[in-house]
Coordinates of all heavy atoms in Angstrom, one line a residue:
Chain B
A1090 N -14.9 4.1 16.3 CA -15.1 5.5 16.7 C -14.5 6.4 15.7 O -13.4 6.2 15.3 CB -14.5 5.8 18.1
L1091 N -15.3 7.4 15.3 CA -14.8 8.4 14.3 C -14.5 9.7 15.1 O -15.4 10.2 15.8 CB -15.9 8.7 13.2 CG -15.6 9.8 12.3 CD1 -14.4 9.6 11.5 CD2 -16.9 10.0 11.4
Y1092 N -13.3 10.1 15.0 CA -12.9 11.4 15.6 C -12.8 12.5 14.6 O -12.4 12.3 13.5 CB -11.5 11.2 16.3 CG -11.6 10.5 17.6 CD1 -11.6 9.1 17.7 CD2 -11.8 11.1 18.8 CE1 -11.8 8.4 18.9 CE2 -12.0 10.5 20.0 CZ -12.0 9.1 20.0 OH -12.2 8.4 21.2
L1093 N -13.3 13.7 15.0 CA -13.2 14.8 14.1 C -12.3 15.8 14.8 O -12.6 16.3 15.9 CB -14.6 15.4 14.0 CG -15.7 14.5 13.5 CD1 -17.1 15.2 13.6 CD2 -15.4 14.2 12.0
F1094 N -11.2 16.1 14.1 CA -10.2 17.0 14.7 C -10.3 18.4 13.9 O -10.0 18.4 12.7 CB -8.8 16.4 14.6 CG -8.6 15.3 15.5 CD1 -8.4 14.0 15.0 CD2 -8.6 15.4 16.9 CE1 -8.2 12.9 15.9 CE2 -8.4 14.4 17.8 CZ -8.2 13.1 17.2
G1095 N -10.6 19.4 14.7 CA -10.7 20.7 14.0 C -9.4 21.5 14.3 O -9.0 21.7 15.4
T1096 N -8.8 22.0 13.2 CA -7.6 22.7 13.3 C -7.5 23.8 12.3 O -8.1 23.7 11.2 CB -6.4 21.7 13.2 OG1 -5.2 22.4 13.3 CG2 -6.5 20.9 11.9
P1097 N -6.8 24.9 12.6 CA -6.7 26.0 11.6 C -6.2 25.5 10.3 O -5.5 24.5 10.2 CB -5.8 27.0 12.3 CG -5.8 26.7 13.7 CD -6.1 25.2 13.8
G1098 N -6.5 26.3 9.3 CA -6.2 25.8 7.9 C -4.8 25.6 7.6 O -4.5 24.6 6.8
Q1099 N -3.9 26.4 8.0 CA -2.5 26.3 7.5 C -1.8 25.0 8.0 O -1.9 24.7 9.1 CB -1.7 27.5 7.9 CG -2.2 28.8 7.4 CD -3.3 29.4 8.3 OE1 -3.9 28.7 9.1 NE2 -3.5 30.7 8.1
R1100 N -1.2 24.4 7.1 CA -0.5 23.1 7.3 C 0.4 23.2 8.5 O 0.5 22.3 9.3 CB 0.2 22.7 6.0 CG 1.1 21.5 6.2 CD 0.2 20.3 6.5 NE 1.1 19.2 6.5 CZ 1.4 18.5 5.5 NH1 0.9 18.8 4.3 NH2 2.2 17.4 5.6
R1101 N 1.1 24.3 8.7 CA 2.0 24.4 9.8 C 1.3 24.2 11.1 O 1.9 23.8 12.1 CB 2.8 25.8 9.8 CG 1.9 27.0 9.8 CD 2.7 28.2 9.8 NE 1.9 29.4 10.0 CZ 1.5 30.2 9.0 NH1 1.7 29.8 7.7 NH2 0.7 31.2 9.2
F1102 N 0.0 24.5 11.2 CA -0.7 24.3 12.4 C -1.1 22.8 12.6 O -1.0 22.3 13.7 CB -2.0 25.1 12.5 CG -1.8 26.6 12.6 CD1 -2.4 27.5 11.8 CD2 -0.9 27.0 13.6 CE1 -2.2 28.9 12.0 CE2 -0.6 28.4 13.7 CZ -1.3 29.3 13.0
W1103 N -1.4 22.1 11.5 CA -1.8 20.7 11.7 C -0.5 19.9 12.0 O -0.6 18.8 12.6 CB -2.6 20.0 10.7 CG -3.1 20.7 9.5 CD1 -3.6 21.9 9.3 CD2 -3.2 20.1 8.2 NE1 -4.0 22.1 8.1 CE2 -3.7 21.0 7.3 CE3 -2.8 18.8 7.7 CZ2 -3.9 20.7 6.0 CZ3 -3.0 18.6 6.4 CH2 -3.5 19.5 5.5
D1104 N 0.6 20.4 11.6 CA 1.9 19.7 11.9 C 2.2 19.7 13.4 O 3.0 18.9 13.8 CB 3.0 20.3 11.1 CG 3.2 19.7 9.7 OD1 2.5 18.6 9.5 OD2 3.9 20.3 8.9
L1105 N 1.5 20.6 14.1 CA 1.8 20.7 15.5 C 1.4 19.4 16.3 O 1.9 19.0 17.3 CB 0.9 21.8 16.1 CG 1.4 23.2 16.0 CD1 0.4 24.1 16.7 CD2 2.8 23.3 16.6
W1106 N 0.3 18.8 15.7 CA -0.2 17.6 16.4 C 0.4 16.4 15.7 O -0.1 16.1 14.6 CB -1.7 17.6 16.4 CG -2.2 18.5 17.5 CD1 -2.3 18.2 18.8 CD2 -2.5 19.9 17.4 NE1 -2.8 19.3 19.5 CE2 -2.9 20.3 18.7 CE3 -2.6 20.8 16.3 CZ2 -3.3 21.6 18.9 CZ3 -2.9 22.1 16.6 CH2 -3.3 22.5 17.9
A1107 N 1.4 15.8 16.3 CA 2.1 14.7 15.6 C 1.1 13.7 15.1 O 0.3 13.2 15.8 CB 3.1 14.1 16.6
G1108 N 1.2 13.4 13.8 CA 0.4 12.3 13.3 C -1.0 12.7 13.0 O -1.9 11.9 12.7
L1109 N -1.3 14.0 13.0 CA -2.7 14.4 12.9 C -3.3 14.1 11.5 O -4.3 13.5 11.3 CB -2.9 15.9 13.2 CG -4.4 16.4 13.2 CD1 -5.2 15.6 14.3 CD2 -4.4 17.9 13.5
A1110 N -2.5 14.4 10.5 CA -3.0 14.2 9.1 C -2.7 12.8 8.7 O -3.3 12.2 7.7 CB -2.3 15.2 8.1
D1111 N -1.7 12.1 9.4 CA -1.3 10.8 9.0 C -2.4 9.8 9.3 O -2.9 9.6 10.4 CB -0.1 10.5 10.0 CG 0.7 9.3 9.5 OD1 0.4 8.8 8.4 OD2 1.7 9.0 10.2
G1112 N -2.8 9.1 8.2 CA -3.8 8.1 8.3 C -5.3 8.6 8.3 O -6.2 7.8 8.5
A1113 N -5.4 9.9 8.1 CA -6.8 10.4 8.1 C -7.6 9.9 6.9 O -7.0 9.8 5.8 CB -6.8 12.0 8.1
V1114 N -8.9 9.7 7.1 CA -9.8 9.3 6.0 C -9.9 10.5 5.0 O -9.9 10.3 3.8 CB -11.2 8.9 6.5 CG1 -12.2 8.8 5.4 CG2 -11.1 7.6 7.3
G1115 N -9.9 11.7 5.6 CA -10.0 12.9 4.7 C -10.2 14.1 5.5 O -10.0 14.1 6.8
A1116 N -10.5 15.2 4.8 CA -10.6 16.5 5.5 C -11.9 17.2 4.9 O -12.1 17.2 3.7 CB -9.4 17.4 5.3
L1117 N -12.6 17.8 5.9 CA -13.6 18.8 5.5 C -13.0 20.1 5.4 O -12.4 20.5 6.4 CB -14.8 18.8 6.5 CG -15.7 17.6 6.6 CD1 -16.7 17.8 7.7 CD2 -16.4 17.2 5.3
V1118 N -13.1 20.9 4.3 CA -12.5 22.2 4.3 C -13.7 23.2 4.3 O -14.4 23.3 3.4 CB -11.7 22.4 3.0 CG1 -11.1 23.8 3.0 CG2 -10.7 21.3 2.8
L1119 N -13.8 23.9 5.5 CA -14.9 24.8 5.6 C -14.5 26.1 5.0 O -13.4 26.6 5.1 CB -15.2 25.0 7.1 CG -16.4 24.1 7.6 CD1 -15.9 22.6 7.5 CD2 -16.7 24.4 9.0
I1120 N -15.5 26.7 4.3 CA -15.3 27.9 3.5 C -16.4 28.9 3.9 O -17.5 28.6 4.1 CB -15.5 27.6 2.0 CG1 -14.6 26.5 1.5 CG2 -15.4 28.9 1.2 CD1 -13.2 26.9 1.3
D1121 N -16.0 30.1 4.1 CA -16.9 31.2 4.3 C -16.8 32.1 3.1 O -15.8 32.7 2.8 CB -16.4 32.0 5.6 CG -17.3 33.2 5.9 OD1 -18.1 33.6 5.0 OD2 -17.1 33.7 7.0
T1122 N -17.9 32.2 2.3 CA -17.8 32.9 1.0 C -17.7 34.4 1.2 O -17.5 35.1 0.2 CB -19.1 32.6 0.2 OG1 -20.3 32.8 1.0 CG2 -19.1 31.1 -0.3
R1123 N -17.9 34.9 2.4 CA -17.6 36.3 2.6 C -16.1 36.6 2.6 O -15.7 37.8 2.5 CB -18.2 36.7 4.0 CG -19.8 36.5 4.1 CD -20.3 36.7 5.5 NE -19.6 35.8 6.4 CZ -19.8 35.8 7.7 NH1 -20.6 36.7 8.3 NH2 -19.2 34.9 8.5
H1124 N -15.3 35.6 2.8 CA -13.9 35.7 2.9 C -13.2 34.6 2.1 O -12.4 33.8 2.7 CB -13.4 35.8 4.3 CG -14.1 36.7 5.2 ND1 -13.9 38.1 5.2 CD2 -15.1 36.5 6.1 CE1 -14.7 38.7 6.1 NE2 -15.4 37.7 6.7
L1125 N -13.6 34.5 0.9 CA -13.1 33.3 0.1 C -11.6 33.2 0.1 O -11.0 32.1 0.2 CB -13.6 33.5 -1.3 CG -14.0 32.2 -2.1 CD1 -15.0 31.3 -1.3 CD2 -14.7 32.6 -3.4
E1126 N -10.9 34.3 0.0 CA -9.5 34.3 -0.2 C -8.8 33.7 1.0 O -7.7 33.2 0.9 CB -8.9 35.7 -0.5 CG -9.1 36.8 0.6 CD -10.6 37.2 0.8 OE1 -11.4 36.9 -0.1 OE2 -10.9 37.9 1.7
D1127 N -9.4 33.7 2.2 CA -8.8 33.1 3.4 C -8.6 31.6 3.2 O -7.9 31.0 4.0 CB -9.7 33.4 4.6 CG -9.8 34.8 5.0 OD1 -9.1 35.6 4.4 OD2 -10.6 35.2 6.0
S1128 N -9.3 31.0 2.3 CA -9.3 29.6 2.1 C -8.3 29.1 1.1 O -8.0 27.9 1.0 CB -10.7 29.1 1.7 OG -11.7 29.6 2.5
F1129 N -7.7 30.1 0.4 CA -6.8 29.6 -0.7 C -5.6 28.8 -0.2 O -5.2 27.8 -0.7 CB -6.2 30.9 -1.5 CG -7.3 31.6 -2.2 CD1 -7.1 32.9 -2.8 CD2 -8.6 31.0 -2.4 CE1 -8.0 33.5 -3.5 CE2 -9.6 31.7 -3.2 CZ -9.3 33.0 -3.7
E1130 N -5.0 29.3 1.0 CA -3.8 28.6 1.5 C -4.1 27.2 1.8 O -3.3 26.3 1.5 CB -3.2 29.4 2.7 CG -1.9 28.8 3.1 CD -1.2 29.5 4.2 OE1 -1.7 30.6 4.7 OE2 -0.2 29.0 4.7
V1131 N -5.2 26.9 2.5 CA -5.4 25.6 3.0 C -5.7 24.7 1.8 O -5.2 23.5 1.7 CB -6.5 25.5 4.0 CG1 -7.9 26.0 3.5 CG2 -6.7 24.1 4.5
L1132 N -6.4 25.2 0.8 CA -6.6 24.4 -0.4 C -5.3 24.1 -1.2 O -5.1 23.0 -1.6 CB -7.6 25.1 -1.3 CG -9.0 25.1 -0.8 CD1 -9.9 26.1 -1.6 CD2 -9.6 23.7 -0.9
D1133 N -4.4 25.1 -1.2 CA -3.1 24.8 -1.8 C -2.4 23.7 -1.1 O -1.8 22.8 -1.7 CB -2.3 26.1 -1.8 CG -2.7 27.1 -2.8 OD1 -3.5 26.8 -3.7 OD2 -2.3 28.3 -2.7
Q1134 N -2.4 23.8 0.2 CA -1.7 22.8 1.0 C -2.2 21.4 0.7 O -1.5 20.5 0.5 CB -1.9 23.1 2.5 CG -1.5 24.4 3.0 CD 0.0 24.4 3.3 OE1 0.7 23.4 3.2 NE2 0.5 25.5 3.7
L1135 N -3.6 21.3 0.7 CA -4.2 20.0 0.5 C -3.9 19.4 -0.9 O -3.6 18.3 -1.0 CB -5.7 20.1 0.8 CG -6.1 20.1 2.2 CD1 -7.5 20.6 2.4 CD2 -6.0 18.7 2.8
E1136 N -4.0 20.3 -1.9 CA -3.9 19.8 -3.2 C -2.4 19.5 -3.6 O -2.2 18.6 -4.3 CB -4.5 20.8 -4.2 CG -6.0 20.8 -4.2 CD -6.6 21.7 -5.2 OE1 -6.0 22.6 -5.7 OE2 -7.8 21.5 -5.5
L1137 N -1.6 20.4 -3.1 CA -0.2 20.3 -3.6 C 0.7 19.4 -2.7 O 1.6 18.8 -3.2 CB 0.5 21.7 -3.7 CG -0.2 22.7 -4.6 CD1 0.4 24.0 -4.5 CD2 -0.2 22.1 -6.0
H1138 N 0.4 19.4 -1.4 CA 1.3 18.7 -0.5 C 0.8 17.5 0.2 O 1.4 16.9 1.1 CB 1.8 19.7 0.5 CG 2.5 20.9 -0.1 ND1 3.6 20.7 -0.9 CD2 2.2 22.2 -0.1 CE1 4.0 21.9 -1.4 NE2 3.1 22.8 -0.9
T1139 N -0.4 17.1 0.0 CA -1.0 15.9 0.6 C -1.8 15.2 -0.4 O -2.1 15.7 -1.5 CB -1.9 16.2 1.8 OG1 -3.2 16.5 1.3 CG2 -1.4 17.2 2.8
K1140 N -2.1 13.9 -0.1 CA -3.0 13.2 -1.0 C -4.3 12.9 -0.2 O -5.0 12.0 -0.5 CB -2.3 11.8 -1.3 CG -1.1 12.1 -2.3 CD -0.4 10.7 -2.5 CE 0.9 10.9 -3.3 NZ 0.6 11.3 -4.7
I1141 N -4.6 13.7 0.8 CA -5.8 13.5 1.6 C -7.0 13.8 0.8 O -7.1 14.9 0.2 CB -5.7 14.3 2.9 CG1 -4.6 13.9 3.8 CG2 -7.0 14.2 3.6 CD1 -4.5 14.7 5.0
P1142 N -8.0 12.9 0.7 CA -9.2 13.3 0.1 C -9.9 14.4 0.9 O -9.8 14.4 2.1 CB -10.1 12.0 0.2 CG -9.2 10.9 0.6 CD -8.0 11.6 1.3
F1143 N -10.5 15.4 0.2 CA -11.2 16.4 0.9 C -12.4 16.8 0.2 O -12.6 16.6 -1.0 CB -10.3 17.6 1.2 CG -9.8 18.4 0.0 CD1 -10.6 19.5 -0.5 CD2 -8.7 18.1 -0.7 CE1 -10.2 20.2 -1.6 CE2 -8.2 18.8 -1.8 CZ -9.0 19.8 -2.2
T1144 N -13.3 17.4 1.0 CA -14.6 17.9 0.5 C -14.7 19.4 0.9 O -14.4 19.7 2.1 CB -15.8 17.1 1.0 OG1 -15.7 15.8 0.4 CG2 -17.1 17.7 0.8
V1145 N -15.1 20.2 0.0 CA -15.3 21.7 0.4 C -16.7 21.9 0.9 O -17.6 21.5 0.3 CB -15.0 22.5 -0.8 CG1 -15.3 24.0 -0.5 CG2 -13.5 22.4 -1.2
V1146 N -16.8 22.5 2.0 CA -18.1 22.7 2.7 C -18.3 24.2 2.8 O -17.5 24.9 3.5 CB -18.1 22.1 4.1 CG1 -19.4 22.4 4.8 CG2 -17.8 20.6 4.0
V1147 N -19.3 24.7 2.1 CA -19.6 26.1 2.1 C -20.5 26.4 3.3 O -21.7 26.0 3.2 CB -20.2 26.6 0.8 CG1 -20.6 28.1 0.9 CG2 -19.2 26.3 -0.4
N1148 N -20.0 27.0 4.3 CA -20.8 27.2 5.5 C -21.6 28.5 5.3 O -21.0 29.6 5.0 CB -19.9 27.4 6.7 CG -20.7 27.1 8.0 OD1 -21.8 26.7 8.0 ND2 -20.1 27.5 9.1
Q1149 N -22.9 28.4 5.5 CA -23.8 29.6 5.2 C -24.0 30.5 6.4 O -24.5 30.0 7.4 CB -25.1 29.1 4.7 CG -25.1 28.3 3.4 CD -24.8 29.2 2.2 OE1 -24.5 30.4 2.3 NE2 -24.9 28.6 1.0

Side-chain angles (χ1 to χ4, degrees):
Chain B
L1091 171 62
Y1092 282 85
L1093 301 173
F1094 290 114
T1096 177
Q1099 297 86 338
R1100 173 62 177 275
R1101 57 179 187 264
F1102 290 134
W1103 0 317
D1104 274 345
L1105 280 181
W1106 282 276
L1109 188 61
D1111 198 1
V1114 169
L1117 293 176
V1118 184
L1119 268 62
I1120 304 282
D1121 179 348
T1122 51
R1123 298 168 303 177
H1124 309 283
L1125 214 51
E1126 64 288 350
D1127 292 354
S1128 307
F1129 294 167
E1130 187 180 349
V1131 61
L1132 288 168
D1133 285 349
Q1134 301 276 1
L1135 281 164
E1136 285 184 341
L1137 301 176
H1138 302 301
T1139 77
K1140 293 174 185 290
I1141 296 182
F1143 66 90
T1144 288
V1145 173
V1146 176
V1147 178
N1148 200 12
Q1149 296 287 10

